[in-house]
Amino acid sequence: MNHIQSIESKLEPLRNQLKSHPLYSTLSSIDDVATFMEKHVFAVWDFMSLLKSLQNHLTNVNTPWTPKGKGPTARFINEIVMAEESDVNELGLAMSHYEMYIDAMIQVGADTSDINLFIKAIEKGDNLEDASKKIKLDAPILEFIKFTMDIVNSDKPHSIASAFTFGREDVIPDMFLEIIGQSKTNDDKTYSKLLYYLNRHIELDGDEHGPISLKMVEELCGNDNLKWEDVLETATEALKMRIKLWDHITACILLN
């Protein structure tokens, strides 16, 4: 059993817990989906920080440019960045997946005012705490984002890649399949943008980004056992944080 297989085996209980989470069965109305999206959009946003952090580590975005000598990993991350930051939406227009998600929120009638105000505060230089206070962001969502940013600021590319791969990319197809399968949204045109977004993620993450991300982790860790231990620890915490976020969103939906 290689390192990747060993990690995936150890993560299987958490992945199964996430895949069978009660959240999915609570998504039975448009209001439920809207509530889900209003909370989940912050995870869609902070995913991009993981991605761009990896790009900063694995490629050279400075000028004057100099080679980093990491061709395979640079190619891996650049391919993912291209799709996540400038994919094609359902109308054939280039758009980031975050912006597609915002469009889908508007279509289902979800409130985008909090995420928009939060992003504007970040753009103006506010830190996470200050930006979150302006919208009274739910504590579990802030905790999720802070965990992501702690990983981003760890200056450990292999740990960032672990959170990205095992906490996001590798689990996304299963997660989104559950949302599509249990939310009773398939035949409602109100959800067309969301379904496009979900199916696009399943297509990219299951067939392309997931395998690429696993190769990236292998490239970054090599035969360094300490790095592989970091990868497992980070992946475990990332999945636990996702489950806590799902617990919170489920509770919010049930309170509606």
Side-chain angles (χ1 to χ4, degrees), residues 11-68:
L11 294 178
E12 188 173 1
L14 287 172
R15 287 192 55 150
N16 287 339
Q17 188 177 343
L18 188 58
K19 187 177 180 179
S20 60
H21 197 281
L23 168 65
Y24 309 119
S25 61
T26 67
L27 298 172
S28 59
S29 72
I30 189 169
D31 289 339
D32 295 338
V33 173
T35 299
F36 167 80
M37 297 184 79
E38 289 163 8
K39 310 296 183 182
H40 177 241
V41 67
F42 290 90
V44 176
W45 167 75
D46 83 339
F47 167 82
M48 290 301 299
S49 291
L50 282 174
L51 178 59
K52 300 303 284 188
S53 176
L54 281 171
Q55 189 179 36
N56 289 337
H57 279 287
L58 304 179
T59 70
N60 192 341
V61 295
N62 298 316
T63 55
W65 178 88
T66 54
K68 278 217 171 184

Side-chain angles (χ1 to χ4, degrees), residues 168-188:
R168 303 296 184 100
E169 291 291 308
D170 198 40
V171 78
I172 279 174
D174 287 346
M175 194 170 66
F176 282 166
L177 281 169
E178 290 300 321
I179 293 172
I180 287 178
Q182 296 192 40
S183 63
K184 303 179 179 67
T185 63
N186 293 298
D187 299 321
D188 194 327

